[in-house]
Amino acid sequence: MGYVHVLVHPAFHANGNVGWVEEVVVDPQFRGSGCGRLLLEAAQEWARGAGAVYVALATRRAGEFYRTLGFEESALYFKKPS
């Protein structure tokens, strides 16, 4: 149905650990079923258990989905090819 890849790392700006969602993917036939919500809730619970003070992610296409789950826009994402 889908998967989530989340990690926890220390961050000075957060004064503690931060959970970072690298990827969350739901098979198109299961989108809208609540699978993505359950995956992210499990990721947040796991990250909190690992000491994360918050969970963050970067997205370009699914902003409205994350907003409905209580995520707020926080920063602009930059990247530079190697």
Side-chain angles (χ1 to χ4, degrees), residues 6-75:
V6 60
L7 54 94
V8 172
H9 63 87
F12 287 116
H13 71 272
N15 197 29
N17 290 332
V18 171
W20 183 258
V21 176
E22 283 287 331
E23 293 182 313
V24 59
V25 178
V26 174
D27 187 296
Q29 68 180 344
F30 295 106
R31 291 181 187 161
S33 71
C35 180
R37 175 182 295 272
L38 290 172
L39 286 168
L40 281 167
E41 287 172 356
Q44 290 173 80
E45 184 177 324
W46 178 83
R48 275 190 226 107
V53 296
Y54 67 81
V55 174
L57 55 89
T59 187
R60 202 178 271 174
R61 296 176 288 176
E64 193 55 38
F65 169 70
Y66 295 112
R67 283 194 238 1
T68 65
L69 298 179
F71 286 83
E72 301 172 356
E73 288 187 45
S74 174

